[in-house]
Amino acid sequence: MSKIDHSLFNANEHALEQVTDLCPKCQSSLKIKHGKSGAFIGCSQYPECDFSKPLHEYETADVKVIEGSQCPVCDANLVIKKGRFGLFIGCSTFPACTYIESSKQSNDNKIKCPSCSVGYLTKRANKFGKQFYPCDNYPKCKYVLNSTPVAISCAACEWPVMIEKKTAQGLVLQCPQRACGYKQEQ
C-alpha cells in the first residue's frame, strides 16, 4: 500500500501556466511564458499579437516603515524594501515617487581604480548575489576584481591594489596582476 496520493499527479500539467485575464490588444487568453530574463505574461496568439507584461508589476516588497523619516521629494514615509539586489531604502509611494536613498560611500574611504586612476572600485552584486568590485567609471573603464580590494601596493610589481584571499593558513593578500601573483600574509 502506497502512502503517496497519486490523484495529485492527475491535474493538468499546464494548469499553473494559465492566466485568467484577457489580452488588452486582441482579447485572446494570456499565458505565463519563460524568456531569458525570467517569467513574464504574454499573449497566447504570439507572434500575431506581441503583448507582454512583467509577471510582477514591481518586484519590490515593503519590509518595514521607518518611523520619523520623510522622503525629500514628496514628504511621504521612507520604507525598507526588498528588491532584486537586496534591501534598500525608498519612498513608500512608489511608483508615484521613485526616490531611493543613496548607499554610495564618500570617496574618502573608497579605493581608487588602479587601471584608469579616475574612478573608484565599488562593491556590487550580480543577480545571483555574488559580490564583485568594478570601477564606477564604467563603460570607459572595464576594470573589475572578484575579491575584496585592499589599498596596499604590491611589494613585487608595485601595483597599487592587492586583494584578500582566504586560504587554509588564514587571510592572504595577493596581487591581482596575473603576471605577478605575489602573496603576503596579512
Side-chain angles (χ1 to χ4, degrees):
M1 183 167 173
S2 175
K3 292 183 180 182
I4 299 173
D5 184 5
H6 292 285
S7 66
L8 295 174
F9 299 102
N10 293 336
N12 183 350
E13 64 186 51
H14 299 290
L16 295 176
E17 295 188 11
Q18 298 300 320
V19 180
T20 58
D21 295 339
L22 295 177
C23 175
K25 284 186 172 181
C26 69
Q27 303 305 314
S28 297
S29 63
L30 294 177
K31 292 177 125 184
I32 295 177
K33 298 188 175 206
H34 304 280
K36 64 181 177 182
S37 300
F40 64 97
I41 297 174
C43 182
S44 61
Q45 296 301 314
Y46 181 82
E48 291 82 29
C49 178
D50 63 350
F51 175 79
S52 68
K53 69 178 186 176
L55 187 59
H56 303 287
E57 282 297 321
Y58 304 102
E59 292 187 22
T60 58
D62 293 355
V63 176
K64 183 179 180 185
V65 176
I66 304 172
E67 299 297 329
S69 64
Q70 290 186 324
C71 173
V73 177
C74 68
D75 293 328
N77 283 337
L78 291 177
V79 293
I80 298 173
K81 296 178 172 240
K82 183 174 182 182
R84 179 177 173 190
F85 296 109
L87 297 174
F88 65 97
I89 298 173
C91 185
S92 60
T93 62
F94 180 81
C97 176
T98 58
Y99 175 78
I100 294 175
E101 188 76 24
S102 176
S103 63
K104 292 195 175 190
Q105 306 167 358
S106 67
N107 289 342
D108 298 341
N109 53 355
K110 281 190 174 181
I111 298 173
K112 201 144 187 82
C113 176
S115 181
C116 71
S117 300
V118 175
Y120 294 90
L121 298 178
T122 57
K123 185 177 184 179
R124 300 268 174 105
N126 65 14
K127 65 181 180 179
F128 303 109
K130 181 160 175 42
Q131 310 228 328
F132 62 100
Y133 299 84
C135 178
D136 62 3
N137 196 22
Y138 181 84
K140 291 179 183 173
C141 177
K142 292 180 171 55
Y143 188 77
V144 64
L145 293 173
N146 290 322
S147 299
T148 307
V150 179
I152 296 175
S153 295
C154 175
C157 70
E158 299 181 7
W159 188 253
V161 175
M162 300 276 283
I163 56 174
E164 283 184 355
K165 289 285 192 172
K166 292 180 184 173
T167 64
Q169 291 78 26
L171 279 178
V172 174
L173 293 178
Q174 181 178 343
C175 182
Q177 297 292 90
R178 287 185 182 158
C180 180
Y182 174 78
K183 294 180 183 177
Q184 73 182 40
E185 290 185 21
Q186 192 170 357

